[in-house]
Amino acid sequence: MRVPLRQSVPVLATALVSTGAVGLLSGAAVDTAAPSAAATLPSAAAADIPTPEEYFGFPMGAEGKLAAYPDVLDYMQLIADESDRVDYEDIGPTTMGNDYATVLISSPDNLENIDRLVEINQQLSDPRNTSPEAARELAAEGVPFYHLEATIHSSEVGNGQAINDIVHRLATEDSDFTEKVLTNSVIVLVPSQNPDGQHLIVDHFNETAGTDYERTYPDLYHKYTGHDDNRDWTMFTQVEAQYRLELEKKYRPAVVHIMHQQGNTGERIFVPPYGGINSENVPVNMTNAVSAIGQHAARALGAEGMTGVLRDDYHIFWTLEQPVGFFPFTGSGVYLTEIASVTDYAYPQKSDDGSPLGPQQSRTNFIEPYRSDTWTLADIVDYAEVATYAGMEYTADNGEKLLYDNLYAVPHEYMTQGVPSGTYAFVVDADQRDPFATYEMLERLEWTQVEIHRATSGFTAGGESHPAGSYVILMKQPRGNWAHQVLGSDDYPEVRDCSECPVLLPYAEATTSLPLELGVDVDEIADPFEADLELVESVEVPEVTMPEAPAPGGAYLVRPESYGTIQIVSALQADNIPTFRVAEEFTDGGVVYPAGSYVVPATPQARNTLGQASTDVGIPVAATDTPPAAPGLQLKPGTRVGLLRGIGNMPGGWDMWLFDQYGINYKVVRAQDYEHRSLNELYDTIVISSGVDKEDIVEGLDPDEYSEKYAWAYGVGQQGWAKLRQFVRRGGTLLAVGESSETAQELLDLPITDVMPDDEDEFVSAGSLLRNEFDPTHPVSWGQPAEWPVWFYDTGFFEVTDPAADVVASYPEENVLASGYLRGEEHIAGTANVVSFDVGRGTAVVYGSEVTFRTLPREQFTLLYNAIYNGPAQEVEATELRQLRSQFGRN
Ligand SMILES: [Zn+2]
């Protein structure tokens, strides 16, 4: 029998003991057994706090009803105003300007004493300055913090409803359970990790009520990331991810409860322990603590007759890019719950034939199958509440142990024992191809509190000499395992549950390697070495200063290797400053410049723009009195870029972030654009994001299902498809990333064959970095090294059937895997990845690998923006570059 946990009733502690009810469910259990006899009067403050039902007008979990996020925040603020157990804090604005907030819940004493409790957590997390003996005392004095993240995936709406009941109960109920939780822990509730999505989803749901339109929101529920919002834990690109990181660093939660919902065909709820392959970097203490919480929750759910509980699944502890990231490495126990979803967010799921929902075979990790044929929003709310109360109870009951074993012992172990691989340090040479990439990598280490040292003189490590100024990241430090996780390369093992079973893949990617993704040369050093090191106080963009202005007719020179040059080019484009690229290597002032170097006629305006842009990214600018005498390109001023991103398509969202971040002048291509005579009137270059296929373009969204508001994503029919083809033939540049290379192939009949084998076991790779060889003389790969790994995620690799096509990047004949996992190397070895084609008067480039994947493989951004600007550029002769002298004679 289901217990109505949504209404919490104050109860007497003695009644609980005598009925033998599970403590955490006390309110509900007693409510069922003896509806009113055991209730005590609520406190005076509690009397002024309306129940969620009174406040919202319906009980949480009511069919077809969703409390809107702003109303939830108002409710939390109201409770905070009325209750001395609750504090509300506004953290800051989200990407779209909504409020990101936290709600602290604890006993009035604890909230009054919150600064001291936070300080204790900080000291525990700092083994550099806290001895084991002192830590024991601190653990006894402090209480664990329970970070409760109600929602990150905004379509998973049930948990965000349940928190209203949870906060109401904790604020108003006087029971053994609430007293224990409030006295022995501090709850840090994040009502939503993605408030923007909460708005988008619920607003759409409410706007479509009573219409024939689809109730589910069709587009990304975060401006840039959509469902990928929990896959941002190494680069922290989004402001919401940065807020989460700051909360982690501020409060040092012993337990982090992340609430999710899963699909609706499987088990009703997942709780830890996790399954799959563990990274050796993941701390043992943390894993054990989370498994114990999960077991406690499973028993609590069982005691309430809540069946369909799955454990020992979700293979999340390999790369940790998703869904947990940094948390476990600080000692926070990550407690993930995944509850089955319903129909259209808030309507019952019913099986068609009356059979029960989900798997029906009992197993040791799935003891009691769910036997009903119906699953409702109220069920989600009930399961969420019981699983949360169980997590809170475990935390309150085991505070001292969690504080010592997790918060203190985890970083202390890293600091004293180093990492399991025995690696001594990583060395980042001062002398890098891409100083901006080096800065971005070090900055992420700094954000995650990794200690970075700099050598004050040259030294030898790993048999090689490294110059003064090189960075050293020692592994024996409180964040050692995290540093090892993100700096090292990965070798994912091939494991199967049985000989016929598929390879056991990680939940997300098989690698997390910042150096390989960003393009930084890093050496992993096994053995200790001597070096004069100083602690880096703060990571800064490299300082650059503009050179003296050259003589009249001179020019400024910028090397092309760094992806930071995108920002320089964008600034030059925005200010309409003539910009050339030299197609050949040349020498100036004794320095060799590679093909693709930028030459900017030295006007005062150019100087201003370059001065600012180069300072922003730390890329130096040189000056020459005699611009190189070699042929090249003149970029088209104000190049117009279109992005075919696909509605609800995550790679398209990330591409928007990338373009916004780097200042690219772009517009999202809309269905209305195809009403123009030609797309060439609007765009010079069109980028098709990975995942956009012909059907997305031709059929698009159905106008019967989605209102005019989404007209930009309606289909453009065969006529539109033909216009896209014409766009290239008439001189446009079309760039197709990842999966969309197939779309471009279909559109333009490109002479390539995708050679991925059909047999899924013959070729397997789950988000890995694979080596590529580049042709640095080709305009698409100008600035690239001869060799570097690319991001590969099961998309295309090609045989090229027309010798006229230019292979820009290809996989080597052997030794293809750089980091991650690859099975079936022989299928991909020697094939083409990036290929450029002349089509009519235009150009098409396909990128088989995902060069913009979640904006991680930044080293490869150059491949994309080279083509964005070089496609529409005008070829110039050597003499024309020379004529800069007369053309821009005064500076
Ligand atoms: Zn989710």
Side-chain angles (χ1 to χ4, degrees), residues 492-497 501-506 761 764 821 823:
Y492 186 79
E494 182 160 315
V495 176
R496 298 169 193 264
D497 284 336
C501 294
V503 176
L504 207 56
L505 291 176
D761 199 52
V764 192
Y821 175 71
R823 172 179 168 76

Side-chain angles (χ1 to χ4, degrees), residues 733-799:
T733 298
L734 187 80
L735 311 177
V737 179
E739 282 180 272
S740 74
S741 52
E742 205 177 308
T743 314
Q745 202 265 350
E746 207 175 340
L747 179 76
L748 302 169
D749 196 21
L750 299 173
I752 46 171
T753 313
D754 191 331
V755 290
M756 174 125 27
D758 292 332
D759 181 344
E760 285 188 3
D761 199 52
E762 245 182 76
F763 183 86
V764 192
S765 180
S768 295
L769 288 151
L770 304 188
R771 291 192 178 84
N772 254 218
E773 292 165 349
F774 300 97
D775 172 7
T777 65
H778 194 282
V780 172
S781 50
W782 276 346
Q784 284 292 102
E787 236 188 69
W788 198 265
V790 299
W791 185 266
F792 184 84
Y793 213 119
D794 289 353
T795 49
F797 43 95
F798 315 110
E799 245 161 44

Side-chain angles (χ1 to χ4, degrees), residues 471-493:
Y471 296 96
V472 176
I473 294 99
L474 299 167
M475 289 296 96
K476 279 192 181 176
Q477 62 159 300
R479 297 282 170 268
N481 282 29
W482 169 255
H484 188 261
Q485 179 80 26
V486 295
L487 290 174
S489 54
D490 299 285
D491 184 12
Y492 186 79

Side-chain angles (χ1 to χ4, degrees), residues 557-561 580-586 592-599 628 633 782-783:
L557 304 175
V558 181
R559 304 178 66 88
E561 290 102 333
F580 297 82
R581 301 191 74 177
V582 181
E584 294 169 3
E585 183 182 292
F586 64 92
V592 177
Y593 286 81
S597 291
Y598 295 87
V599 178
L633 298 173
W782 276 346

Side-chain angles (χ1 to χ4, degrees), residues 686 688 694 697 720-736 740-752 801-802 835-846:
I686 291 177
I688 313 182
K694 181 180 179 182
I697 297 167
W721 181 249
K723 275 191 178 174
L724 190 59
R725 182 183 302 126
Q726 266 177 9
F727 165 77
V728 189
R729 296 223 168 114
R730 289 180 180 174
T733 298
L734 187 80
L735 311 177
S740 74
S741 52
E742 205 177 308
T743 314
Q745 202 265 350
E746 207 175 340
L747 179 76
L748 302 169
D749 196 21
L750 299 173
I752 46 171
T801 51
D802 180 351
V835 191
S836 176
F837 309 88
D838 292 334
V839 179
R841 282 181 283 146
T843 305
V845 182
V846 297

Side-chain angles (χ1 to χ4, degrees), residues 568-628:
I568 297 181
V569 176
S570 294
L572 292 166
Q573 285 269 312
D575 293 347
N576 211 9
I577 291 169
T579 306
F580 297 82
R581 301 191 74 177
V582 181
E584 294 169 3
E585 183 182 292
F586 64 92
T587 304
D588 187 273
V591 177
V592 177
Y593 286 81
S597 291
Y598 295 87
V599 178
V600 182
T603 60
Q605 199 195 6
R607 184 179 178 80
N608 272 340
T609 302
L610 282 172
Q612 184 59 54
S614 67
T615 305
D616 289 345
V617 289
I619 295 171
V621 174
T624 179
D625 295 338
T626 52

Side-chain angles (χ1 to χ4, degrees), residues 71-90:
D71 298 340
V72 171
L73 290 194
D74 286 348
Y75 183 56
M76 298 291 160
Q77 277 174 295
L78 183 152
I79 297 178
D81 287 347
E82 297 293 333
S83 169
D84 52 6
R85 301 174 181 178
V86 180
D87 282 341
Y88 180 95
E89 192 184 0
D90 190 21

